[in-house]
Amino acid sequence: MTALSERIETPPAPARAPARRPARRRRSPVFDAVTPLGLTARYLTLLVILAVTVGPMLWELSTSLKSVFEDVYTATPQLLPQRPTLDNYSQVARTVPIAHFALNSVIVAALCVGGNLLGATAAGYALARLHFRGRRLMLGLFLSTLVLPGEVTIISQYQTVTRLGLGNSLVGVALPAMIGALNVLLMRNAFLAIPAEVEEAAVIDGATVWQRLRHIALPSVKGTLSVIAILTFIGAWDDFLWPLLVLQSPDKLTLTVGLSYLQSVFAADPRIIAAGAMIALLPILALFVALQRFFFRGVGEGAVKG
Amino acid sequence: MPRTRAGFTLAVIAAASLTGCGVGGAGTGSSQQTVASDAPLKGAITFQTWSLKNDKFTPYFTALIKDFETQHPGTTVNWVDQPGDGYADKVSSQVTSDSLPDVINLPQDIAHSVAKVGGLLDLSKNVPTLAQDYVHSGVAAYTYPDLGGDGFAFPWYLGTDVSFWNKAMLQRDGLDPAKLPKTFDELVAQAKVMHDASGGKDYLMSRPPGLSDIVNSGTPLMTPDGKKFDFSSAPAAAMLDKYTAAYAAGYLPSNVLTSTYEGNSALFTKQEVAWTTGGGNYIQSTTQSNPTLAPQIVPSPALDTPPLYVQGISVAAKSKNLPLALAFGRFVTDDANQKAFIKLAPGFLPGSAASANDPAYSKSDGTAQGDASVIAYQDMQKAVIFTPPVWTDAMNTFLNQQVALAMTGKESAKQALDNAVSRANQLLGQ
């Protein structure tokens, strides 16, 4: 994800520089002037960061395309496969029912994203704009759950889910992640960033809470919503330990758990594991590309309210 | 990192169930109960293996289960396999939710934590011939003096470490692949030759010292009663000093003490290092990842005492169908089935006594992998388990930090070992 954000931020950098030129006299001339040397340095730095962040992904991609006659681990890694092949991908498809596992993952991720968008919006709006008894206490409770590391609660969480009768079900996998405390706080901050006067005007016009939320607040927080959607999706898609604990029957496994069958004590072909990793990565890339315009607006939104 | 977490959750469960159960161990589901051996076999059980469901082993298990079901009509065995990662966590969740499968494949350390909360059947109470039917080191691995039980699993397959050398690198630096080091001192001497000949580019050694080196220096890790760690001895300090001297002379890559250390086998596959230790099947698995390196690998016996790795088949104490579970556990680990299993896993050895002494394992088929399997067989005869079940990842991390301090000359070897011992005892008391 960081890899992509670097890549996408790259183009605007040179374009922005000339636009700012009129304001230069107020700033340090060294910092703002675009000398050829400075430009080269900027691009070099960006290239280095690009290599560091995208490099491992490319290596994984190249490994997944390498044929069985080629060494995977070498002191001088070869990025281009000598004899590229798609055999590893078909081997993955033969070993595990990839489409079925992917569908399970999509169901879990959709439940988590839906739950967070609805729940975090409702809770965040209530904490930001509604006045009720115990509001501060509620906020404190949300904050305090952030302090608990997941490892401490995972077993008791597991017991809760099995007692609810949701063991070995996809709903059981999604349930604990369907409202994230952090997401509630993000939404609260996003709603707080909208000037209170706007809503007060709406109150005078006779708008109800639902109308204010729907017509005034929500349109201004699309960015944060997309940030939450993407982060929740990635979290649900990548999670390994929790679905491993909850799910028992092989036909219900999510993609990350299912793909781990590619690696065994007696046979671990790094090419096939890399092919599995690439398959698992595709949906995240697709979602990110689809939402990236909103995503960067969302990152900015949170920052304005300093 | 995941292992640390696994250890932690298991500890939490152990604590929770100990306080929760109290003295209620006497009724059904106790680890010390005896199972009627003449009970008729019928019904269904679940059998769980660890990371063995793939093209290679799936046909074996399908045939194995079909065999058993034909021999005992009216029985059903459901096979489940768990992925390699997170197994300790998975097992602990099964323990807490009372859904532990009837027959389970467990390594020695995870079995210990399950046995600690009374989850496993004590097999010595139910199988009088346990000690004769299975190899001694395997049974011993599942005997936990701190829990008062003798044998919480049928030994299944055993593994050990063999030394592997890069022939091309040895020859390039003027070393003879026919005269490989047999002791640690010879290793250091050859590491010097390699270092000098390659101008410091090639390395022979690439492993910082650990628990196994301490044991190999002749130091027992714990006091005779098994209650406390006590491994800060003069020979252990001397061993650490030798490593320090070799490190200072540049015979080990400088990053072995930092977090960027990838492990000796990763450095070996990159051909930066000419020696690694690995399981008996190392050549076979390298053929998969680095086909051009595999023909260059020469196996040799492990230096000093080799480590022993054990996999066992345990029976859950709370199984609803103990007679069938016990019968199936014995069936999986009987001579014929173990032999057939090892055919698929070269470099490993069966845990049943009769098949372990099969002369077939001491004959190589002439390939390097065949030689390695024979060496593994020979190593296995004297292999021991270095890591006591009470040794945790936290203790290991602290030991590694102290070793790093000693090897960079920031404290003396004696001081480092003393610190590691006192910290380990402190963690043990928690």
Side-chain angles (χ1 to χ4, degrees):
Chain A
M1 192 195 75
T2 38
L4 273 168
S5 61
E6 289 304 335
R7 195 160 60 181
I8 289 154
E9 266 181 332
T10 316
R16 217 183 289 151
R20 279 200 193 148
R21 229 172 247 169
R24 194 171 59 188
R25 67 194 111 84
R26 289 191 173 203
R27 301 189 176 190
S28 150
V30 182
F31 192 77
D32 218 32
V34 185
T35 61
L37 189 69
L39 200 65
T40 329
R42 280 183 202 184
Y43 270 97
L44 279 181
T45 321
L46 284 170
L47 281 176
V48 167
I49 293 171
L50 183 76
V52 168
T53 49
V54 182
M57 220 149 62
L58 286 181
W59 189 81
E60 205 61 349
L61 176 66
S62 116
T63 305
S64 73
L65 294 172
K66 278 180 181 163
S67 68
V68 286
F69 307 106
E70 213 171 323
D71 288 357
V72 173
Y73 305 111
T74 48
T76 46
Q78 292 283 321
L79 210 49
L80 285 182
Q82 286 155 1
R83 267 179 281 176
T85 166
L86 288 173
D87 275 0
N88 301 315
Y89 287 88
S90 54
Q91 172 99 31
V92 171
R94 266 205 311 279
T95 317
V96 290
I98 267 244
H100 186 77
F101 289 162
L103 180 68
N104 288 342
S105 275
V106 167
I107 293 173
V108 170
L111 281 173
C112 287
V113 171
N116 270 296
L117 289 185
L118 291 176
T121 304
Y125 188 75
L127 287 172
R129 283 288 181 255
L130 303 186
H131 298 275
F132 56 94
R133 223 173 238 273
R135 188 167 74 137
R136 275 164 187 267
L137 178 73
M138 209 55 95
L139 186 63
L141 283 177
F142 270 111
L143 277 173
S144 62
T145 58
L146 291 178
V147 183
L148 284 176
E151 291 81 8
V152 176
T153 51
I154 197 162
I155 291 291
S156 48
Q157 200 176 36
Y158 172 72
Q159 283 175 314
T160 315
V161 166
T162 40
R163 297 262 158 83
L164 286 171
L166 295 174
N168 195 23
S169 73
L170 294 175
V171 179
V173 176
L175 188 66
M178 275 172 71
I179 290 194
L182 189 66
N183 294 336
V184 172
L185 294 175
L186 276 177
M187 286 312 292
R188 173 181 172 268
N189 271 10
F191 286 127
L192 280 180
I194 307 166
E197 292 78 9
V198 180
E199 282 209 39
E200 280 158 14
V203 173
I204 291 168
D205 287 345
T208 64
V209 173
W210 285 110
Q211 282 168 329
R212 277 168 9 228
L213 174 63
R214 164 111 175 56
H215 297 291
I216 295 174
L218 270 185
S220 329
V221 294
K222 272 188 204 148
T224 307
L225 282 175
S226 73
V227 170
I228 290 176
I230 288 187
L231 292 184
T232 311
F233 184 87
I234 293 175
W237 189 266
D238 284 348
D239 197 9
F240 173 75
L241 189 60
W242 176 246
L244 173 74
L245 297 189
V246 176
L247 300 171
Q248 314 290 344
S249 43
D251 63 313
K252 292 211 171 116
L253 299 182
T254 58
L255 194 59
T256 37
V257 180
L259 284 177
S260 68
Y261 280 102
L262 296 175
Q263 186 167 17
S264 91
V265 188
F266 294 99
D269 188 337
R271 301 175 193 84
I272 292 173
I273 296 167
M278 287 326 293
I279 294 174
L281 185 67
L282 282 178
I284 294 181
L285 283 183
L287 186 77
F288 193 88
V289 169
L291 289 183
Q292 54 106 354
R293 276 184 309 138
F294 300 104
F295 190 78
F296 288 108
R297 203 196 290 165
V299 174
E301 237 170 45
V304 171
K305 176 91 183 166
Chain B
M1 182 58 196
R3 280 199 43 120
T4 323
R5 193 173 51 205
F8 180 75
T9 35
L10 277 170
V12 169
I13 291 168
S17 4
L18 278 179
T19 48
C21 298
V23 285
T28 50
S30 150
S31 66
Q32 299 297 321
Q33 65 193 309
T34 49
V35 180
S37 52
D38 53 353
L41 299 179
K42 56 179 189 324
I45 51 163
T46 310
F47 169 47
Q48 175 169 293
T49 55
W50 181 22
S51 191
L52 288 172
K53 190 175 192 173
N54 48 49
D55 287 355
K56 204 166 166 191
F57 288 98
T58 306
Y60 170 81
F61 285 107
T62 332
L64 181 81
I65 288 165
K66 202 160 169 230
D67 237 23
F68 184 81
E69 289 172 348
T70 342
Q71 282 177 29
H72 305 280
T75 60
T76 317
V77 177
N78 302 311
W79 175 42
V80 290
D81 184 71
Q82 297 299 342
D85 281 345
Y87 192 52
D89 281 319
K90 180 72 198 182
V91 170
S92 60
S93 76
Q94 291 176 323
V95 171
T96 45
S97 62
D98 269 344
S99 60
L100 199 64
D102 308 82
V103 181
I104 332 134
N105 165 206
L106 291 175
Q108 173 228 4
D109 52 338
I110 301 182
H112 181 264
S113 40
V114 181
K116 199 170 174 182
V117 296
L120 299 182
L121 188 68
D122 186 346
L123 299 173
S124 62
K125 297 275 185 301
N126 292 291
V127 184
T129 55
L130 187 71
Q132 293 102 60
D133 290 353
Y134 296 93
V135 291
H136 173 71
S137 55
V139 178
Y142 289 92
T143 300
Y144 308 122
D146 56 329
L147 305 180
D150 311 322
F152 283 101
F154 298 113
W156 196 17
Y157 60 97
L158 316 176
T160 186
D161 273 357
V162 173
S163 288
F164 294 97
W165 311 84
N166 184 324
K167 194 164 57 181
M169 282 177 78
L170 291 176
Q171 283 166 344
R172 185 170 73 201
D173 294 322
L175 289 167
D176 184 356
K179 287 182 195 146
L180 296 168
K182 290 193 180 63
T183 62
F184 180 73
D185 291 325
E186 285 176 33
L187 177 72
V188 178
Q190 294 209 5
K192 178 176 165 32
V193 174
M194 179 165 262
H195 175 263
D196 296 348
S198 67
K201 274 205 208 99
D202 295 347
Y203 297 97
L204 200 56
M205 301 163 67
S206 65
R207 194 173 59 85
L211 221 50
S212 61
D213 298 273
I214 296 176
V215 179
N216 269 327
S217 74
T219 310
L221 290 177
M222 304 189 87
T223 51
D225 61 0
K227 294 231 164 72
K228 283 186 104 169
F229 289 104
D230 181 23
F231 52 79
S232 180
S233 68
M239 174 277 301
L240 192 47
D241 280 335
K242 282 184 195 167
Y243 267 102
T244 309
Y247 183 72
Y251 304 158
L252 284 90
S254 58
N255 67 359
V256 295
L257 298 178
T258 66
S259 58
T260 55
Y261 174 54
E262 300 158 274
N264 51 357
S265 106
L267 292 169
F268 185 83
T269 47
K270 284 185 178 175
Q271 310 209 39
E272 289 174 2
V273 161
W275 172 59
T276 187
T277 52
N281 62 338
Y282 186 77
I283 296 183
Q284 197 192 41
S285 57
T286 309
T287 313
Q288 273 187 331
S289 67
N290 279 33
T292 63
L293 169 63
Q296 294 295 336
I297 303 179
V298 194
S300 87
L303 306 178
D304 304 308
T305 309
L308 178 68
Y309 307 114
V310 193
Q311 291 288 338
I313 297 285
S314 300
V315 174
K318 286 181 183 157
S319 165
K320 300 253 174 356
N321 196 342
L322 273 172
L324 185 61
L326 202 57
F328 185 70
R330 292 195 72 168
F331 178 76
V332 173
T333 56
D334 75 10
D335 269 348
N337 287 326
Q338 293 231 28
K339 264 187 203 163
F341 181 85
I342 296 301
K343 283 220 176 78
L344 300 174
F348 289 81
L349 275 188
S352 55
S355 53
N357 295 323
D358 192 328
Y361 296 115
S362 51
K363 276 195 214 96
S364 169
D365 57 3
T367 61
Q369 173 59 59
D371 291 347
S373 298
V374 172
I375 293 168
Y377 170 73
Q378 287 156 354
D379 273 0
M380 203 82 74
Q381 309 307 318
K382 49 179 184 167
V384 296
I385 293 174
F386 290 122
T387 320
V390 288
W391 182 257
T392 62
D393 287 313
M395 297 176 187
N396 210 39
T397 307
F398 193 80
L399 174 68
N400 289 342
Q401 288 165 352
Q402 291 299 316
V403 163
L405 286 177
M407 282 175 67
T408 46
K410 294 200 179 71
E411 62 185 28
S412 72
K414 172 98 179 67
Q415 185 63 48
L417 289 168
D418 282 345
N419 290 349
V421 168
S422 67
R423 177 75 181 142
N425 280 327
Q426 190 193 343
L427 287 167
L428 188 65
Q430 277 175 6

